[in-house]
PDB file of all heavy atoms in Angstrom:
ATOM      1  N   GLY A  20      72.042 -19.404 -16.757  1.00 41.00           N
ATOM      2  CA  GLY A  20      73.058 -18.434 -17.110  1.00 41.00           C
ATOM      3  C   GLY A  20      74.257 -18.718 -16.222  1.00 41.00           C
ATOM      4  O   GLY A  20      74.271 -19.521 -15.339  1.00 41.00           O
ATOM      5  N   PRO A  21      75.340 -18.050 -16.623  1.00 39.00           N
ATOM      6  CA  PRO A  21      76.582 -18.265 -15.950  1.00 39.00           C
ATOM      7  C   PRO A  21      76.418 -17.903 -14.452  1.00 39.00           C
ATOM      8  O   PRO A  21      75.926 -16.807 -14.190  1.00 39.00           O
ATOM      9  CB  PRO A  21      77.628 -17.331 -16.628  1.00 39.00           C
ATOM     10  CG  PRO A  21      76.758 -16.270 -17.334  1.00 39.00           C
ATOM     11  CD  PRO A  21      75.443 -16.934 -17.627  1.00 39.00           C
ATOM     12  N   ALA A  22      76.810 -18.765 -13.579  1.00 41.00           N
ATOM     13  CA  ALA A  22      76.719 -18.514 -12.229  1.00 41.00           C
ATOM     14  C   ALA A  22      77.681 -17.308 -11.822  1.00 41.00           C
ATOM     15  O   ALA A  22      78.809 -17.274 -12.316  1.00 41.00           O
ATOM     16  CB  ALA A  22      77.032 -19.732 -11.378  1.00 41.00           C
ATOM     17  N   VAL A  23      77.188 -16.501 -10.952  1.00 41.00           N
ATOM     18  CA  VAL A  23      78.157 -15.447 -10.433  1.00 41.00           C
ATOM     19  C   VAL A  23      79.281 -16.064  -9.652  1.00 41.00           C
ATOM     20  O   VAL A  23      79.066 -17.097  -9.011  1.00 41.00           O
ATOM     21  CB  VAL A  23      77.299 -14.486  -9.626  1.00 41.00           C
ATOM     22  CG1 VAL A  23      78.178 -13.431  -8.961  1.00 41.00           C
ATOM     23  CG2 VAL A  23      76.211 -13.827 -10.476  1.00 41.00           C
ATOM     24  N   ALA A  24      80.387 -15.440  -9.807  1.00 39.00           N
ATOM     25  CA  ALA A  24      81.633 -15.987  -9.074  1.00 39.00           C
ATOM     26  C   ALA A  24      81.263 -16.233  -7.608  1.00 39.00           C
ATOM     27  O   ALA A  24      80.692 -15.409  -6.980  1.00 39.00           O
ATOM     28  CB  ALA A  24      82.725 -14.958  -9.264  1.00 39.00           C
ATOM     29  N   GLY A  25      81.707 -17.391  -7.168  1.00 43.00           N
ATOM     30  CA  GLY A  25      81.563 -17.732  -5.774  1.00 43.00           C
ATOM     31  C   GLY A  25      80.212 -18.504  -5.479  1.00 43.00           C
ATOM     32  O   GLY A  25      79.963 -18.961  -4.379  1.00 43.00           O
ATOM     33  N   ALA A  26      79.358 -18.593  -6.530  1.00 48.00           N
ATOM     34  CA  ALA A  26      78.018 -19.265  -6.317  1.00 48.00           C
ATOM     35  C   ALA A  26      78.068 -20.712  -6.495  1.00 48.00           C
ATOM     36  O   ALA A  26      77.040 -21.373  -6.400  1.00 48.00           O
ATOM     37  CB  ALA A  26      77.010 -18.603  -7.223  1.00 48.00           C
ATOM     38  N   GLY A  27      79.331 -21.290  -6.718  1.00 59.00           N
ATOM     39  CA  GLY A  27      79.469 -22.749  -6.874  1.00 59.00           C
ATOM     40  C   GLY A  27      78.706 -23.200  -8.043  1.00 59.00           C
ATOM     41  O   GLY A  27      78.596 -22.672  -9.132  1.00 59.00           O
ATOM     42  N   ASP A  28      77.909 -24.315  -7.756  1.00 83.00           N
ATOM     43  CA  ASP A  28      77.186 -24.988  -8.908  1.00 83.00           C
ATOM     44  C   ASP A  28      75.731 -24.455  -8.923  1.00 83.00           C
ATOM     45  O   ASP A  28      74.785 -25.203  -9.302  1.00 83.00           O
ATOM     46  CB  ASP A  28      77.229 -26.477  -8.695  1.00 83.00           C
ATOM     47  CG  ASP A  28      76.536 -26.924  -7.362  1.00 83.00           C
ATOM     48  OD1 ASP A  28      76.198 -26.107  -6.539  1.00 83.00           O
ATOM     49  OD2 ASP A  28      76.301 -28.217  -7.303  1.00 83.00           O
ATOM     50  N   THR A  29      75.459 -23.243  -8.552  1.00 91.00           N
ATOM     51  CA  THR A  29      74.137 -22.765  -8.532  1.00 91.00           C
ATOM     52  C   THR A  29      73.526 -22.655  -9.837  1.00 91.00           C
ATOM     53  O   THR A  29      74.168 -22.281 -10.823  1.00 91.00           O
ATOM     54  CB  THR A  29      74.154 -21.309  -7.917  1.00 91.00           C
ATOM     55  OG1 THR A  29      74.759 -21.356  -6.630  1.00 91.00           O
ATOM     56  CG2 THR A  29      72.726 -20.824  -7.702  1.00 91.00           C
ATOM     57  N   ARG A  63      71.641 -25.980  -6.023  1.00 97.00           N
ATOM     58  CA  ARG A  63      72.839 -25.556  -5.344  1.00 97.00           C
ATOM     59  C   ARG A  63      73.385 -26.801  -4.465  1.00 97.00           C
ATOM     60  O   ARG A  63      72.546 -27.465  -3.866  1.00 97.00           O
ATOM     61  CB  ARG A  63      72.654 -24.384  -4.515  1.00 97.00           C
ATOM     62  CG  ARG A  63      73.959 -23.815  -3.977  1.00 97.00           C
ATOM     63  CD  ARG A  63      73.748 -22.323  -3.574  1.00 97.00           C
ATOM     64  NE  ARG A  63      74.716 -21.838  -2.702  1.00 97.00           N
ATOM     65  CZ  ARG A  63      75.296 -20.623  -2.815  1.00 97.00           C
ATOM     66  NH1 ARG A  63      74.793 -19.834  -3.799  1.00 97.00           N
ATOM     67  NH2 ARG A  63      76.165 -20.210  -2.056  1.00 97.00           N
ATOM     68  N   PRO A  94      70.203 -12.609 -12.034  1.00 97.00           N
ATOM     69  CA  PRO A  94      71.519 -12.337 -11.381  1.00 97.00           C
ATOM     70  C   PRO A  94      71.404 -12.322  -9.926  1.00 97.00           C
ATOM     71  O   PRO A  94      72.328 -12.758  -9.185  1.00 97.00           O
ATOM     72  CB  PRO A  94      71.894 -10.944 -12.028  1.00 97.00           C
ATOM     73  CG  PRO A  94      71.112 -10.915 -13.246  1.00 97.00           C
ATOM     74  CD  PRO A  94      69.808 -11.621 -12.978  1.00 97.00           C
ATOM     75  N   LEU A  97      71.109 -15.970  -8.527  1.00 97.00           N
ATOM     76  CA  LEU A  97      72.335 -16.709  -8.621  1.00 97.00           C
ATOM     77  C   LEU A  97      73.436 -16.179  -7.629  1.00 97.00           C
ATOM     78  O   LEU A  97      74.244 -16.933  -7.163  1.00 97.00           O
ATOM     79  CB  LEU A  97      72.852 -16.654 -10.091  1.00 97.00           C
ATOM     80  CG  LEU A  97      72.070 -17.445 -11.039  1.00 97.00           C
ATOM     81  CD1 LEU A  97      72.543 -17.339 -12.431  1.00 97.00           C
ATOM     82  CD2 LEU A  97      71.952 -18.953 -10.623  1.00 97.00           C
ATOM     83  N   SER A  98      73.377 -14.882  -7.291  1.00 96.00           N
ATOM     84  CA  SER A  98      74.415 -14.356  -6.458  1.00 96.00           C
ATOM     85  C   SER A  98      74.061 -14.337  -4.994  1.00 96.00           C
ATOM     86  O   SER A  98      74.887 -14.017  -4.131  1.00 96.00           O
ATOM     87  CB  SER A  98      74.774 -12.901  -6.937  1.00 96.00           C
ATOM     88  OG  SER A  98      73.667 -12.063  -6.730  1.00 96.00           O
ATOM     89  N   SER A  99      72.806 -14.704  -4.640  1.00 97.00           N
ATOM     90  CA  SER A  99      72.402 -14.555  -3.261  1.00 97.00           C
ATOM     91  C   SER A  99      72.691 -15.894  -2.469  1.00 97.00           C
ATOM     92  O   SER A  99      72.774 -16.980  -3.120  1.00 97.00           O
ATOM     93  CB  SER A  99      70.849 -14.260  -3.187  1.00 97.00           C
ATOM     94  OG  SER A  99      70.592 -13.012  -3.719  1.00 97.00           O
TER      95      SER A  99
END
Side-chain angles (χ1 to χ4, degrees):
V23 172
D28 62 350
T29 306
R63 186 161 166 137
L97 290 175
S98 63
S99 295

